[in-house]
């Protein structure tokens, strides 16, 4: 019996959930439970961690999961690592579904770094004005270079004070546009941008704005991950499923 486990928390996962539901392919949607009211999905949902590799392997066994699709964020390395190990342990086919990373063009000035600490090290020593578009979890790292001014863009207002003294917060939810981000960077006299290579269209505007303004981007590359099958579109996932003997049941009507 087909029963997919779809590890979610991204727009890609939600799009895939729509398609699986339309095609009447049996699947369970899993959220980490980071947000108070996660968007509802057209699939049965479960919320919360599994309890590491062994917990996930146990879940796969007891729920008779036939395939795992990891559609978590490219920087959610722990759950992806756990999925690789648990699927190996249970001999369960695993696919990673993630958006393609951004690529620098000839007019871009990107400096690639492996992690946030390296991004901090790549900043100049003289005071500069930094646009931080990296979420909130790792902001504290930048307290080690207090000479800079930080413009921090967040989706939700922080519930505790920022760990940075010389910082200004902008609350905004993407997708963003190049003109908006160009104007934002001009207004705040930004000199450097720090970004994580998430990929996708909605957050790319800052990179296009940086190109327009000739500003350097310190790009945090995706975490290393063991080899696994990867697709970057819903159609690619459906092809992978077909290759693994998963198809809509006969009579399933798409788009109804
Ligand atoms: P993480 O560090 O890779 O995962 C930490 C732990 O959270 C995992 O070990 C697992 O707990 C649990 N977990 C993560 N995703 C889960 C899922 N889909 N279903 C059930 N448990 C899950 O992940 P993170 O960076 O904290 O991100 C958490 C969630 O937010 C992910 O689902 C991700 O897609 C989403 N997200 C992350 C980012 C980012 O920049 N990191 C951005 C946007 C969205 P157990 O070990 O107990 O199983």
């Amino acid at each position: 019996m087909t029963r997919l486990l779809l590890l979610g928390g991204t727009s890609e996962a939600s799009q895939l959930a729509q398609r699986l539901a339309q095609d009447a392919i049996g699947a369970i949607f899993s959220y980490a439970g980071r947000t108070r009211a996660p968007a509802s999905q057209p699939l049965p949902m479960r919320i919360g961690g599994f309890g590491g590799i062994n917990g996930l392997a146990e879940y796969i066994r007891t729920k008779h999961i036939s395939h795992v699709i990891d559609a978590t964020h490219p920087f959610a390395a722990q759950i992806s690592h756990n999925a690789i190990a648990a699927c190996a342990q249970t001999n369960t086919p695993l696919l990673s579904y993630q958006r393609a990373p951004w690529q620098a063009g000839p007019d871009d000035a990107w400096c690639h770094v492996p992690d946030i600490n390296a991004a901090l090290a790549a900043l100049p020593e003289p005071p500069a004005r930094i646009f931080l578009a990296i979420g909130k979890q790792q902001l504290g790292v930048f307290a080690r270079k207090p000479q800079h001014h930080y413009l921090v863009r967040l989706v939700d207002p922080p519930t505790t004070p920022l760990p940075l003294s010389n910082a200004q917060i902008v609350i905004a939810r993407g997708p963003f546009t190049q003109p908006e981000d160009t104007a934002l960077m001009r207004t705040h006299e930004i000199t450097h941008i720090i970004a994580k290579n998430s990929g996708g269209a909605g957050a790319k505007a800052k990179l296009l704005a940086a190109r327009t303004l000739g500003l350097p981007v310190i790009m945090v590359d995706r975490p290393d991950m063991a080899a696994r099958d990867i697709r970057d579109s819903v159609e690619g996932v459906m092809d992978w499923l077909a290759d693994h003997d998963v198809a809509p049941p006969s009579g399933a009507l798409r788009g109804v």
Side-chain angles (χ1 to χ4, degrees), residues 6-10 30-34 46-53 55-56 71-80 82 99 134 137 196 198:
L6 174 54
L7 301 171
T10 57
S30 177
Y31 275 120
R34 292 286 186 277
R46 65 164 302 286
I47 299 179
F50 297 95
I53 295 169
L56 179 54
T72 59
H73 191 271
F75 280 81
Q78 187 62 57
I79 185 68
S80 295
N82 292 357
R99 49 187 106 148
I134 58 164
Q137 284 183 25
K196 296 198 286 189
S198 305

Side-chain angles (χ1 to χ4, degrees), residues 20 27 30 61 67 70 91 96 113 123 158 172 177 188 194 209 216:
L20 295 175
S30 177
R61 281 193 205 95
H67 305 72
D70 175 5
N91 204 18
S96 164
V113 294
L123 285 177
T177 68
H188 292 272
I194 296 186

Side-chain angles (χ1 to χ4, degrees), residues 122-148:
L123 285 177
E125 290 307 322
R129 296 180 65 84
I130 319 296
F131 181 38
L132 283 181
I134 58 164
K136 64 181 176 207
Q137 284 183 25
Q138 294 169 304
L139 291 175
V141 167
F142 294 92
R144 286 167 16 216
K145 285 203 173 169
Q147 68 269 41
H148 300 311

Side-chain angles (χ1 to χ4, degrees), residues 125-170:
E125 290 307 322
R129 296 180 65 84
I130 319 296
F131 181 38
L132 283 181
I134 58 164
K136 64 181 176 207
Q137 284 183 25
Q138 294 169 304
L139 291 175
V141 167
F142 294 92
R144 286 167 16 216
K145 285 203 173 169
Q147 68 269 41
H148 300 311
H149 174 83
Y150 295 99
L151 179 67
V152 178
R153 181 155 70 192
L154 299 173
V155 175
D156 297 312
T159 49
T160 52
L162 285 192
L164 303 171
S165 52
N166 188 7
Q168 188 173 346
I169 303 174
V170 186

